[in-house]
């Protein structure tokens, strides 16, 4: 799952980027000072415009807030609500992001045509 940071401005000089996760009244700062914090450190890939989860669980459901502060007085913020549904079993992100392809059962009794 990828979450965009639409607040990022490439024209700003050396912007400071912070990511926060809000669930109910709880607010966790999980990316600041160029570092990811636990338990996100090994689960997320960061770029200035996006965070990408290697795996997601229902516990990741909540609001993700990206805050960008420029070297002047500029501040921009964007928010994305992530809702994780389905089974709790871990699955590769590729299976979560697109529907499965058509099933192609193989017949065990199929005999290849002879080359007579």
């Amino acid at each position: 799952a990828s979450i965009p940071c639409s607040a990022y401005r490439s024209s700003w000089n050396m912007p400071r980027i912070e990511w926060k996760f809000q669930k109910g009244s709880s607010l966790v700062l999980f990316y600041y000072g160029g570092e990811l914090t636990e338990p996100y450190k090994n689960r997320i890939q960061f770029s200035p415009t996006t965070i990408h989860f290697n795996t997601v669980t229902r516990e990741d459901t909540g609001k993700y807030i990206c805050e960008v502060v420029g070297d002047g007085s500029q501040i921009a913020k964007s928010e994305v609500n992530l809702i994780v549904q389905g089974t709790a079993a871990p699955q590769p992100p590729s299976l979560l992001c697109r529907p499965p392809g058509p099933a192609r059962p193989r017949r065990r009794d199929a005999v290849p045509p002879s080359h007579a």
Side-chain angles (χ1 to χ4, degrees):
S2 293
I3 299 177
C5 177
S6 57
Y8 179 77
R9 307 285 186 267
S10 60
S11 60
W12 290 4
N13 185 33
M14 304 270 304
R16 185 180 83 235
I17 301 169
E18 295 180 352
W19 277 94
K20 301 168 188 167
F21 172 64
Q22 184 176 7
K23 190 170 196 168
S25 60
S26 169
L27 184 67
V28 176
L29 182 63
F30 69 90
Y31 181 86
Y32 62 96
E35 296 287 328
L36 285 162
T37 62
E38 295 294 344
Y40 298 92
K41 189 175 277 189
N42 297 319
R43 300 179 52 228
I44 291 181
Q45 297 169 331
F46 169 83
S47 79
T49 58
T50 309
I51 56 171
H52 176 78
F53 283 84
N54 297 325
T55 59
V56 290
T57 68
R58 289 185 198 157
E59 292 299 309
D60 296 316
T61 294
K63 183 185 294 184
Y64 290 83
I65 303 162
C66 174
E67 192 171 279
V68 182
V69 181
D71 60 355
S73 58
Q74 312 110 312
I75 287 185
K77 185 165 91 168
S78 64
E79 300 178 355
V80 173
N81 284 307
L82 177 68
I83 300 170
V84 181
Q85 297 177 326
T87 62
Q91 297 180 5
S94 60
L95 294 178
L96 295 173
C97 296
R98 59 177 176 248
R104 297 183 187 197
R106 291 183 177 199
R107 292 180 45 194
R108 290 188 180 179
D109 61 342
V111 179
S114 61
H115 299 285

